[in-house]
């Protein structure tokens, strides 16, 4: 719970800095030789989704420590959203840039890790008496 927002921030902030500094402009510019159609939209969606996940994980910390009744619901939402986003993102990148290896070993491991995490924690949040008594 505490480390998750830190990991998200460590991954997201460098991407955001690169994005703000225009690192991706060459591939988003229609006049460029490296132009990829719809890449700018994909990058915008990725930035928004990562910012959303970071904000939700920070909100989750507050809900957890305040023992708020919404904690299990928001936690389950994030557990389900994360692997779905990873799968959708990898698939869209693969469709936009078929020559690029979008679904590499690291991506597959991230997806599997997110699915296993969800398969363990979602049932626990739904079934556990301790969760029901705490939240």
């Amino acid at each position: 719970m505490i480390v998750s927002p830190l990991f998200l921030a460590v991954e997201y902030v460098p991407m955001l800095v690169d994005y703000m500094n225009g690192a991706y402009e060459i591939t988003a510019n229609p006049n460029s030789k490296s132009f990829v159609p719809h890449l700018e939209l994909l990058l915008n969606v990725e930035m928004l989704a990562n910012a959303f996940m970071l904000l939700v994980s920070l909100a989750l910390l507050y809900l957890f420590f305040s023992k708020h009744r919404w904690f299990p619901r928001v936690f389950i939402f994030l557990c389900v959203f994360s692997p779905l986003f990873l799968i959708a993102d990898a698939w869209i990148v693969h469709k936009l840039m078929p020559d690029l290896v979008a679904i590499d070993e690291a991506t597959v491991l991230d997806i599997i890790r997110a699915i296993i995490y969800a398969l363990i924690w979602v049932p626990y949040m739904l079934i556990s008496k301790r969760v029901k008594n705490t939240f």
Side-chain angles (χ1 to χ4, degrees), residues 4 11 17 20 37 41 43 59 74 79-80 88 95 110 112 114-115 122 133:
S4 181
E11 287 183 21
V17 169
M20 295 302 229
L41 176 63
L43 292 173
V74 175
C79 281
V80 173
K95 290 297 181 187
D110 286 344
I112 290 171
I115 290 171
V122 169
N133 290 337

Side-chain angles (χ1 to χ4, degrees), residues 64 67 71-72 121 124-135:
F64 177 75
K67 298 181 181 178
F71 172 78
W121 286 106
Y124 178 78
M125 289 290 159
L126 293 172
I127 296 170
S128 171
K129 290 182 183 184
R130 181 176 289 171
V131 170
K132 285 182 175 88
N133 290 337
T134 305
F135 304 103

Side-chain angles (χ1 to χ4, degrees), residues 4 10 15 46 50 61 132:
S4 181
V10 166
M15 284 190 326
E46 284 183 349
N50 283 315
L61 272 178
K132 285 182 175 88

Side-chain angles (χ1 to χ4, degrees), residues 38-94:
H38 309 295
L39 183 62
E40 186 175 14
L41 176 63
L42 175 66
L43 292 173
N44 289 335
V45 170
E46 284 183 349
M47 289 292 125
L48 287 172
N50 283 315
F52 173 74
M53 287 179 26
L54 179 60
L55 291 173
V56 170
S57 67
L58 290 171
L60 208 51
L61 272 178
Y62 169 76
L63 295 173
F64 177 75
F65 285 115
S66 65
K67 298 181 181 178
H68 198 280
R69 63 184 176 92
W70 284 11
F71 172 78
R73 293 180 193 133
V74 175
F75 183 85
I76 290 169
F77 169 79
L78 196 59
C79 281
V80 173
F81 178 80
S82 182
L84 292 177
F85 173 70
L86 290 170
I87 291 168
D89 184 52
W91 182 77
I92 291 169
V93 168
H94 174 70

Side-chain angles (χ1 to χ4, degrees), residues 18-19 22-43 96-97 100:
D18 287 345
Y19 182 75
Y24 305 111
E25 283 181 17
I26 193 165
T27 55
N29 183 350
N31 299 324
S32 170
K33 291 179 182 179
S34 303
F35 175 68
V36 178
H38 309 295
L39 183 62
E40 186 175 14
L41 176 63
L42 175 66
L43 292 173
L96 286 178
M97 298 173 278
L100 180 72

